Structures are given as structure tokens and as C-alpha cells.
Amino acid sequence: MRLLIIEDDREASSYLCKAFREAGHVADTADDGLDGYALAREGTYDVLVVDRMLPKLDGLSLIRSLREQGVETPVLILSALGQVDDRVKGLKAGGDDYLPKPYAFSELMARIEVLARRRGGGSSAEATSYRVGDLELDRLSHRVTRAGQEIPLQPREFRLLEYLMRHAGQVVTRTMLLEHVWDYHFDPQTNVIDVHVSRLRAKVDKGFERPMIHTVRGAGYMVRAGGEA
């Protein structure tokens, strides 16, 4: 998921950003309402995490403005104000969920995943697991196995494999990987993709007769069961 955290407490924002990235997601931050509003309007996010008390533009006004502009990105409101009236005001302003502080990160993450699934819409919601041949990936438990053998992956490696498996049997270009796994909308002219694919291939294919991760020369990469590289 691609998330935007709008929070003026930089320590709290940094903690959330780090936790989301460790979970394999992309997280951007803004520390005031105006910057947050601009990013939310211009960026494509799966969920916005908005603190209610923000400088320059408060959280509820920010959400109302986004809704007036037709931005329908799900919003989770964080606030130290946790009374029923406070929660009602937040939901009426256009928020989709309201979580009082202090909170457990596990609950915050679960609520965000629910909002993202709702946005996907019923039967078209994104799958929670993928299987290609004897390779399996579970998005909820962050577990990858091949022929029943667990394969430990770093968060970025997990996201890379997840994206490749989501498009199994299709060529995935470098541009697609840069935009969806690294969140780059330009080519940074580095070998970051090659390095990560090489590491991933060493973990997923090493010790197995048939490779799963294939390089398609001049085009990109593909995950498929069997066949020649």
C-alpha cells in the first residue's frame, strides 16, 4: 500500500513511517495541514492517516476540503480527542474511521488494511495470497514458502516478489517495478532493481531444479512455473 501520514508530531510521524515501511508499504509524510492537503490531492494513495490537530489547516477542515474536491481516498483520523461527539464530528467531516490516541500499531495497521480492502470493492478486492507452482506468498502473515520450505525475505524483497507474483505469467518492466515497488516515477539510473532481483532469485530459486524468476531480455522480469530462463 501507499500511505500518507499527516501528523505534526515528528517523532510520532517518524515512528509510523518506519513501521509502515518495515511492513513493506510505501509511506509519505506531511507535518502540517496545508502540505498534507496538497500531497493528498496530487498523489495516489491507498489510505490517508490524518491527525486531527494540525497547524495551518486542521485535520477535519483538510478532510472536508478533500471531499469537496472529489478526493475519495479512505481517511483514518488519529486524535487525542476520543469522546463520542469527537468521533461523530470526524466521521461527519468525511473520515472513514477514527482511532483515539494512544493506540496499538497492530490495531492501526488492521484498520488501514480494512479501509484499503473496502476501497477495492467486494469481490474485486486484492487477493491476500498468491501461488505460482510450488511457490506461495501470504500477504497477511508476510510468509513465503516454496515446496513447503519457508523463505525469509526482507520487506523490499517481499514487495518485489509480491508484485511479480501478482502479475505471474506477464512481463513486468523496470518502470513498473520502480513505480510500484520503489515508488520512483523516474529512472534513478541505478542498478537497484538488478541487485534486488538477483538477491530474490538466490533465495527463491537456489536449490530447486526449475527457476521461477525469469529475465526477459530487453523487457523486464517474469514469475512463472517451469520453462527456460
Side-chain angles (χ1 to χ4, degrees), residues 1-7 13 16 20 26-31 35-51 62 66 73-76 112:
M1 290 183 289
R2 188 171 181 224
L3 309 170
L4 174 61
I5 306 163
I6 309 175
E7 166 68 78
S13 178
L16 286 178
F20 286 137
V26 174
D28 295 335
T29 62
D31 55 15
D35 285 348
Y37 174 73
L39 284 172
R41 280 198 63 190
E42 296 174 5
T44 303
Y45 295 98
D46 295 297
V47 178
L48 310 178
V49 180
V50 181
D51 183 44
L62 182 158
L66 289 174
T73 308
V75 176
L76 173 64
I112 286 174

Side-chain angles (χ1 to χ4, degrees), residues 1 24 126 130 132 135 137 139 144 153 155-183 193 197 200 213 221-223:
M1 290 183 289
E126 191 174 352
Y130 301 99
V132 180
L135 179 64
L137 180 147
R139 297 176 61 242
V144 174
L153 297 180
R156 186 75 68 180
E157 295 168 345
F158 184 91
R159 289 184 57 209
L160 174 58
L161 181 60
E162 177 190 345
Y163 192 78
L164 289 169
M165 292 184 71
R166 188 188 307 168
H167 298 276
Q170 304 171 21
V171 176
V172 176
T173 67
R174 289 175 57 88
T175 298
M176 292 168 67
L177 292 174
L178 284 169
E179 290 185 352
H180 294 280
V181 179
W182 276 268
D183 196 36
I193 292 178
V197 169
L200 184 61
I213 301 173
Y221 301 94
M222 177 190 296
V223 161

Side-chain angles (χ1 to χ4, degrees), residues 73-108:
T73 308
V75 176
L76 173 64
I77 301 171
L78 297 178
S79 178
L81 305 174
Q83 298 300 313
V84 173
D85 287 347
D86 298 316
R87 298 198 298 271
V88 169
K89 287 178 182 177
L91 297 174
K92 284 187 173 181
D96 297 275
D97 200 354
Y98 194 108
L99 185 60
K101 298 177 180 180
Y103 54 84
F105 179 75
S106 57
E107 181 180 3
L108 173 64

